Amino acid sequence: MCGIAGWVSYDADLTEQHATIDAMTATMALRGPDASGTWVDRHAALGHRRLAVIDLDGGVQPMEFVTANGPVVLVYSGETYNFIELREELTRRGHRFRTSSDTEVVLHGYLEWGEGVAEHLNGMCAFAIWDAREQKLVLVRDRLGVKPLYHYPTPDGVLFGSEPKAILANPLARKAVDIDGIRTAVFSVGQGQAIWKGMYEVEPGTVVTVTASGTRTRTYWSLRTAPHTDDQRSTIARVRELLDDTVNRQLISDVPQCVLLSGGLDSSAITGLAARKLTAKGDRLRTFSVDFVDHVDRFKPDVFRTTPDAPFVKDMVDLVEPVHQQVVLSAEDLSDPAVRRAVITARDTPNALGESDISMYLLFRAIRGESTVALSGEAADENFGGYPWFHNELRTLPIFPWMAAVLGAQSANPAVMPFTAEALAALDLENYLGDQYKTAVAAVDHLDNATRFERQMRFMCHMHLTRFLRMLLDRKDRLSMAVGLEVRVPYCDHRLVEYVYNTPWKLKSFDGREKSLLRHAVKDLLPASVVQRRKSGYPTMMHDNRYSGTLLIEAKEVLADTHNPLFGLFNREWLRSVVEADPAKITHGEKLLLDKIIDMYYWIDGYSPELSLS
């Protein structure tokens, strides 16, 4: 796992711009703490920061292959899990390798298949190739968008980077955020996280090619609708087969690794599969979980969290017997301003989840002291239909169901949230959210004979995999890479995603519960308590008055900054009314809004963006 950056200019001589490419690359230092490198030619400059995971001595980047017609140079972030098979195939085709890294396999794959190398890769990766033979830049992002990649067109070329901060380090990029960016920052609906004007994500499953004559975009993968012909027994068996294979592939590493264990079905399934495979090799799995001081005693169930994690984590640990560590956080840990700033810097955006992001960052920071790679249960809910709104009336509303759930938790309507009157008018949230929803509906193909209900559930799965999951993957990548931890996501294997996506909803819920297929595919690996546990989201301290008290202290500091641009967006009097109210009467929704406003305040303070309501 690494961070990449670069600059292509067809009119300038970039050999005079070493300082700029060095500055762009340096912003990726936390993503790649092990090594740094740049490659500069007249019209292209590439930078790389490395987190060494496979072939620690080889795999140094930028990686160059010299041809008679000019060099081909690669900067690469991520992992290719089928690199061993690809190396064997490429060797049969006459290629010779100097290292055992997956990076070199990707480079030779490009030399063999050109831009079509993307279709050959199974993994999570984002990379850039400068092909001097044709004076072109090729940007590639993995199918599900696990690894981030951004680009910023310039009059004579392009800037790119793993994160916006790499691009913003170049003086050609403006730190401007217009009304579209503000909408994304406040109400992201999964259309991408590039809030900066003129900056774009390389979309998941996409190749972007830049030449002197312009930019071309090609989608090499998307969710496609197909009939499902397997019966229930065969479907369960196939899900298990795919999970076995993808976990086995993702356990390949030359550095210490672990599994993130929450005691839920998703992470416990990965834990059980990984433990079985490592035990067979004579190794012992390591697992980590997060909890809060006195959390079980103070736990209050809500629409997102039905039970505390700790008892179920204990049951799984007792069964599998890994080397387990529980990371216990306090309200003081979550309230450290330096930590909140680090989280906002990691994400480059105020579109954060406040306290939940902070606790995840602290968990990853603790894990990094022991492991470099972690496997996560992310994406199981999107694949198998795990969220409550897959099974209740929210799925029928003409709004993204996760937004409906959040607004319900906040007891809020987007039209009456605490914005200034000017900001509310400019945001035009009702039309914005409606248009985004219609766009998502139009993107889905259906089988000719599908019933209305089947079409509805296919759309539910599609928008979660293509929109909601993008936000969660971006969050997990940014927070983990900010401490130099590589998080792998077995449920994002495209073979599994394609197979489960086309499985009819009646099979996904055949036992009357969420995630029926997954539960029955892995139940032999789990304790009964975990098999029967209902979906419970990532834990929070938001209900805990100890955290609420510190949140109010931060909010008072924000309120005291009378000239901050924040108050061109948010209503100062609303904030004052909440801060001055009886702390015991502040609602859960108001706390969530305070968290978001404080995040926005820290983001403005750290980035000094040019904000515009037009």
Side-chain angles (χ1 to χ4, degrees):
M1 197 67 64
C2 309
I4 66 174
W7 182 6
V8 169
S9 173
Y10 291 102
D11 293 341
D13 183 355
L14 295 185
T15 60
E16 301 175 356
Q17 298 291 339
H18 281 273
T20 300
I21 191 62
D22 287 346
M24 294 173 69
T25 305
T27 65
M28 299 289 95
L30 295 178
R31 295 186 70 92
D34 296 329
S36 177
T38 59
W39 182 94
V40 181
D41 204 354
R42 182 175 180 81
H43 296 307
L46 309 180
H48 185 265
R49 292 289 312 203
R50 187 183 187 203
L51 174 65
V53 171
I54 294 175
D55 188 6
L56 306 189
D57 295 325
V60 176
Q61 299 184 52
M63 185 174 284
E64 180 181 17
F65 187 91
V66 178
T67 77
N69 297 314
V72 178
V73 190
L74 168 69
V75 283
Y76 167 85
S77 170
E79 306 293 343
T80 296
Y81 302 124
N82 64 334
F83 78 97
I84 295 176
E85 298 99 304
L86 290 177
R87 185 169 57 200
E88 292 172 351
E89 179 178 354
L90 289 165
T91 299
R92 289 193 296 270
R93 291 171 177 259
H95 293 261
R96 297 294 177 262
F97 294 88
R98 297 177 291 105
T99 74
S100 58
S101 70
D102 59 336
T103 304
E104 190 178 16
V105 172
V106 173
L107 178 57
H108 280 264
Y110 175 80
L111 293 169
E112 180 68 29
W113 297 301
E115 297 172 19
V117 65
E119 286 91 330
H120 291 264
L121 306 180
N122 176 334
M124 54 174 198
C125 54
F127 57 92
I129 292 176
W130 172 250
D131 190 338
R133 298 171 302 180
E134 301 180 46
Q135 293 290 294
K136 71 177 181 180
L137 177 74
V138 179
L139 302 173
V140 179
R141 192 173 180 196
D142 66 72
R143 293 171 178 84
L144 273 296
V146 181
K147 292 291 102 186
L149 185 57
Y150 297 82
H151 63 112
Y152 186 103
T154 64
D156 70 331
V158 70
L159 310 173
F160 69 87
S162 293
E163 298 179 4
K165 60 175 64 70
I167 293 171
L168 295 175
N170 190 301
L172 293 179
R174 287 179 57 202
K175 291 184 179 180
V177 180
D178 61 13
I179 194 63
D180 288 332
I182 293 172
R183 290 190 189 106
T184 301
V186 177
F187 280 107
S188 177
V189 290
Q191 78 281 26
Q193 301 295 309
I195 65 173
W196 307 93
K197 186 176 182 180
M199 191 182 300
Y200 307 92
E201 281 196 51
V202 175
E203 292 290 309
T206 296
V207 177
V208 174
T209 304
V210 180
T211 66
S213 60
T215 300
R216 174 173 51 86
T217 299
R218 177 177 71 89
T219 299
Y220 70 88
W221 184 88
S222 61
L223 281 174
R224 295 180 179 175
T225 300
H228 183 83
T229 57
D230 292 345
D231 61 17
Q232 180 178 306
R233 182 187 297 272
S234 300
T235 300
I236 293 170
R238 179 58 176 160
V239 168
R240 176 59 175 268
E241 178 185 14
L242 288 168
L243 283 172
D244 271 327
D245 183 67
T246 189
V247 170
N248 189 47
R249 289 177 181 275
Q250 296 193 26
L251 286 172
I252 297 175
S253 173
D254 293 332
V255 293
Q257 57 190 319
C258 66
V259 173
L260 308 176
L261 175 61
S262 71
L265 176 64
D266 313 340
S267 65
S268 296
I270 301 300
T271 298
L273 290 165
R276 178 171 290 190
K277 295 186 182 301
L278 291 177
T279 299
K281 297 192 300 181
D283 296 329
R284 191 177 179 191
L285 179 66
R286 185 166 198 124
T287 56
F288 288 84
S289 64
V290 66
D291 205 353
F292 307 112
V293 176
D294 301 327
H295 184 60
V296 173
D297 295 335
R298 294 172 176 263
F299 179 80
K300 295 179 181 179
D302 60 26
V303 66
F304 300 108
R305 301 161 191 87
T306 56
T307 49
D309 288 345
F312 300 93
V313 169
K314 182 180 183 303
D315 289 347
M316 193 66 197
V317 169
D318 288 345
L319 177 67
V320 176
E321 297 184 339
V323 178
H324 181 72
Q325 181 176 333
Q326 184 185 57
V327 178
V328 180
L329 304 174
S330 67
E332 292 74 23
D333 295 328
L334 300 179
S335 305
D336 184 346
V339 174
R340 188 183 286 266
R341 289 185 186 277
V343 168
I344 295 297
T345 301
R347 299 200 65 180
D348 286 318
T349 171
N351 179 28
L353 298 178
E355 168 260 351
S356 292
D357 278 359
I358 293 170
S359 65
M360 184 175 286
Y361 172 85
L362 291 172
L363 168 64
F364 291 156
R365 191 171 72 177
I367 291 173
R368 186 59 176 90
E370 306 292 337
S371 295
T372 308
V373 172
L375 272 64
S376 165
E378 202 79 85
D381 288 309
E382 291 77 11
N383 274 307
F384 294 99
Y387 294 111
W389 47 81
F390 274 92
H391 309 272
N392 62 33
E393 68 282 357
L394 290 184
R395 68 189 180 195
T396 66
L397 300 178
I399 185 175
F400 294 107
W402 57 86
M403 292 204 65
V406 169
L407 291 171
Q410 295 175 348
S411 301
N413 180 310
V416 295
M417 288 188 70
F419 299 109
T420 64
E422 182 184 6
L424 264 181
L427 288 167
D428 191 16
L429 289 173
E430 184 175 352
N431 285 325
Y432 166 69
L433 295 175
D435 290 344
Q436 287 291 327
Y437 186 83
K438 291 175 184 176
T439 299
V441 171
V444 186
D445 293 325
H446 298 279
L447 296 175
D448 292 339
N449 60 348
T451 66
R452 181 177 180 180
F453 177 73
E454 289 168 340
R455 293 168 69 90
Q456 179 187 72
M457 298 315 297
R458 183 178 290 278
F459 170 57
M460 284 286 289
C461 294
H462 189 280
M463 68 173 160
H464 278 81
L465 286 165
T466 60
R467 287 179 173 259
F468 192 54
L469 181 59
R470 284 181 69 171
M471 296 185 285
L472 299 181
L473 291 175
D474 183 78
R475 172 198 190 202
K476 188 149 284 184
D477 173 86
R478 300 298 196 87
L479 297 178
S480 61
M481 292 308 295
V483 296
L485 177 70
E486 173 177 297
V487 174
R488 300 176 177 180
V489 277
Y491 292 112
C492 283
D493 186 293
H494 70 278
R495 300 166 303 161
L496 178 69
V497 172
E498 291 169 349
Y499 184 77
V500 177
Y501 174 68
N502 283 304
T503 302
W505 183 253
K506 64 182 179 181
L507 279 180
K508 292 178 182 173
S509 57
F510 69 81
D511 63 358
R513 294 194 54 187
E514 78 282 5
K515 295 185 282 197
S516 306
L517 285 176
L518 178 60
R519 179 176 292 102
H520 286 264
V522 299
K523 63 183 181 180
D524 61 304
L525 301 169
L526 311 176
S529 62
V530 173
V531 173
Q532 297 304 319
R533 188 187 185 191
R534 291 284 179 181
K535 166 67 182 176
S536 194
Y538 185 80
T540 178
M541 277 195 79
M542 194 60 75
H543 291 293
D544 193 317
N545 288 335
R546 293 172 297 182
Y547 178 71
S548 304
T550 61
L551 195 64
L552 285 172
I553 292 172
E554 285 192 275
K556 289 177 182 178
E557 294 174 356
V558 172
L559 190 62
D561 190 353
T562 56
H563 300 294
N564 195 285
L566 174 75
F567 295 111
L569 297 173
F570 289 99
N571 188 314
R572 178 191 296 276
E573 293 310 311
W574 178 90
L575 182 59
R576 187 190 308 280
S577 68
V578 174
V579 168
E580 294 178 353
D582 182 349
K585 295 182 179 180
I586 297 177
T587 67
H588 179 60
E590 288 171 334
K591 295 175 188 177
L592 292 173
L593 289 170
L594 285 178
D595 228 8
K596 180 172 283 292
I597 289 173
I598 293 168
D599 275 350
M600 180 73 79
Y601 176 81
Y602 275 66
W603 173 71
I604 290 173
D605 184 60
Y607 283 82
S608 301
E610 305 170 33
L611 297 176
S612 170
L613 291 178
S614 59

